[in-house]
Amino acid sequence: MNSPPTEVDAIRANLLTMLGLRGYNENQVTVVSDTGLSRNHRANPLERLELRQLRLMNAILRELNLSRVADQLGVSQQTVSEQLKRLREIFDDRLFIRTSNGVIPTPLAERLAPKLDEILNNVAALLRTDEFDPAQHRGIFTISATDFEQRVVLPVLLKQLRQQAPDIKVVVLKLEIDRMAQQLQTGEVDLVFSTPGFVPDNSPSMLLYREHYVCVCCQHTDMPHSANQPLEMEELAALPQLVVSPSRGDLRGMADSWFEQFGLERNVVLSVPSFAAAAECIASTNTVAFLPSRLLPDPRLKTLPIVEQPPGFDVIAAWHTRSSQDPLHKWIRTLLAQQFPSN
């Protein structure tokens, strides 16, 4: 299926019409100068025709005086003459005839005038940024996140999206750490919710909030410590522990380096791909785990007091640089900033 024509396609089509090249091979164009000398130009005429030349021709059609055109465009009369010479070669027409009072257009130049106005207006339209109206916008927006960010960030964002932009469809993908850079680069994913350590260094991002971990176990598990005394690090490291590994499925988690700072290696016995699975497994086993505080309280779990607290982490939204100025992206990031004021 052919893609619908774009504004750029329309401008290009108009240029081809102006040059009289519809149906011809663009790579083989014969140009005859007004001196009668013929030359073969193998280059695409559209590559030889410059926007400033179109502006120049438009100005001459309006003023019919080369000196005034030079003053208006801020160039020398020699520059005007040189560009006009190139236009004559491209169009194979004199375009403008000198008179005692200035110049007059040839019949071809008169026929090109309205099309030239249309082309310049279309080019100007490409540079205008229309005001973004989320209520009128249609499209698909793809988000990648762990089930933790899906539970914390997505509900507040989707509520605003459904209220203010009902025609925007949202696709949520499971976070794939090893494919994140590729997904952002190819446009498979528009926005990622993650921690900074997993996001490519060259990706722009914004802080959503800061989080901390809580050590938990099953509500009905009896731990080997006094109710009034927090667990020492050695005791905690020896307990069977669960880690969440969304993509790689290994037995290492965020707290490993923290235990290593105390010269300890913790006893990891179980790795699960999601925080939802983590809560279920903790509730049905004698394992302990570190869960983000925003997933608690959970009636199946209880908090374990410990003598030291693991470092917290930041949750960010990240995207590809090409999306930084996209109106939809900017609007969604504004919604996130409103819902998660990080300062």
Side-chain angles (χ1 to χ4, degrees):
M1 181 180 295
N2 294 330
S3 301
T6 65
E7 289 183 272
V8 174
D9 294 329
I11 293 172
R12 183 176 181 277
N14 282 342
L15 283 171
L16 287 172
T17 299
M18 286 179 61
L19 293 171
L21 293 176
R22 282 195 178 278
Y24 293 88
N25 184 351
E26 297 175 0
N27 296 320
Q28 180 67 53
V29 179
T30 299
V31 175
V32 182
S33 71
D34 46 3
T35 64
L37 298 178
S38 299
R39 293 182 298 167
N40 287 332
H41 291 262
R42 302 193 65 84
N44 185 338
L46 291 183
E47 295 177 357
R48 297 165 53 216
L49 187 62
E50 301 175 3
L51 181 60
R52 61 177 178 174
Q53 294 169 341
L54 298 182
R55 293 179 61 239
L56 175 75
M57 191 192 306
N58 192 51
I60 297 175
L61 284 165
R62 183 175 60 250
E63 298 295 335
L64 299 178
N65 185 290
L66 300 186
S67 298
R68 286 202 297 268
V69 167
D71 291 340
Q72 285 185 5
L73 299 182
V75 298
S76 67
Q77 292 191 38
Q78 180 181 355
T79 298
V80 172
S81 298
E82 290 173 352
Q83 294 300 324
L84 182 54
K85 179 181 178 181
R86 293 177 185 176
L87 285 167
R88 285 168 170 165
E89 291 177 350
I90 292 172
F91 286 100
D92 188 19
D93 189 89
R94 296 181 67 183
L95 296 177
F96 300 96
I97 311 299
R98 290 184 180 274
T99 70
S100 58
N101 295 322
V103 295
I104 58 173
T106 65
L108 175 61
E110 290 181 334
R111 291 196 301 270
L112 293 178
K115 187 65 71 174
L116 187 58
D117 283 335
E118 181 182 353
I119 289 173
L120 292 175
N121 287 336
N122 286 339
V123 171
L126 290 177
L127 303 177
R128 288 196 299 267
T129 302
D130 296 331
E131 184 176 352
F132 180 73
D133 183 0
Q136 301 298 320
H137 190 85
R138 297 176 181 271
I140 299 175
F141 195 84
T142 304
I143 295 172
S144 174
T146 67
D147 68 319
F148 167 53
E149 282 88 14
Q150 290 174 24
R151 290 179 60 182
V152 176
V153 180
L154 278 183
V156 293
L157 175 61
L158 294 179
K159 179 180 179 180
Q160 295 298 318
L161 280 173
R162 295 305 303 155
Q163 289 177 349
Q164 301 184 47
D167 290 327
I168 294 177
K169 300 178 181 180
V170 178
V171 175
V172 180
L173 303 178
K174 181 182 71 173
L175 183 72
E176 297 184 67
I177 297 172
D178 295 328
R179 295 190 62 232
M180 184 189 302
Q182 177 187 354
Q183 289 176 322
L184 287 171
Q185 182 176 359
T186 61
E188 182 180 348
V189 168
D190 296 307
L191 198 62
V192 169
F193 298 142
S194 178
T195 56
F198 295 139
V199 173
D201 293 337
N202 59 349
S203 294
S205 63
M206 61 182 290
L207 175 66
L208 298 181
Y209 59 89
R210 291 183 169 88
E211 177 62 288
H212 66 276
Y213 287 105
V214 177
C215 187
V216 296
C217 65
C218 176
Q219 184 68 251
H220 307 294
T221 297
D222 292 327
M223 286 296 165
H225 74 289
S226 169
N228 297 322
Q229 293 296 323
L231 280 171
E232 296 291 338
M233 291 297 296
E234 293 81 359
E235 295 177 294
L236 180 60
L239 294 176
Q241 298 190 32
L242 173 150
V243 297
V244 178
S245 181
S247 297
R248 297 169 183 169
D250 55 29
L251 292 171
R252 283 190 62 84
M254 66 83 211
D256 287 271
S257 57
W258 177 59
F259 277 96
E260 290 166 359
Q261 292 177 12
F262 297 93
L264 300 171
E265 180 179 353
R266 62 173 175 160
N267 180 26
V268 178
V269 300
L270 180 61
S271 172
V272 296
S274 68
F275 287 97
E280 291 286 351
C281 292
I282 297 167
S284 60
T285 65
N286 65 340
T287 57
V288 301
F290 294 93
L291 296 185
S293 66
R294 283 172 171 79
L295 296 181
L296 303 170
D298 186 314
R300 300 166 296 178
L301 309 177
K302 65 180 178 182
T303 299
L304 279 177
I306 54 180
V307 294
E308 301 284 348
Q309 296 300 320
F313 62 96
D314 293 339
V315 174
I316 64 173
W319 58 93
H320 195 274
T321 52
R322 68 168 176 273
S323 302
S324 293
Q325 300 305 317
D326 179 78
L328 175 59
H329 278 259
K330 292 173 67 175
W331 179 71
I332 288 179
R333 298 196 300 268
T334 298
L335 289 183
L336 288 170
Q338 293 171 351
Q339 299 302 315
F340 295 95
S342 55
N343 295 326

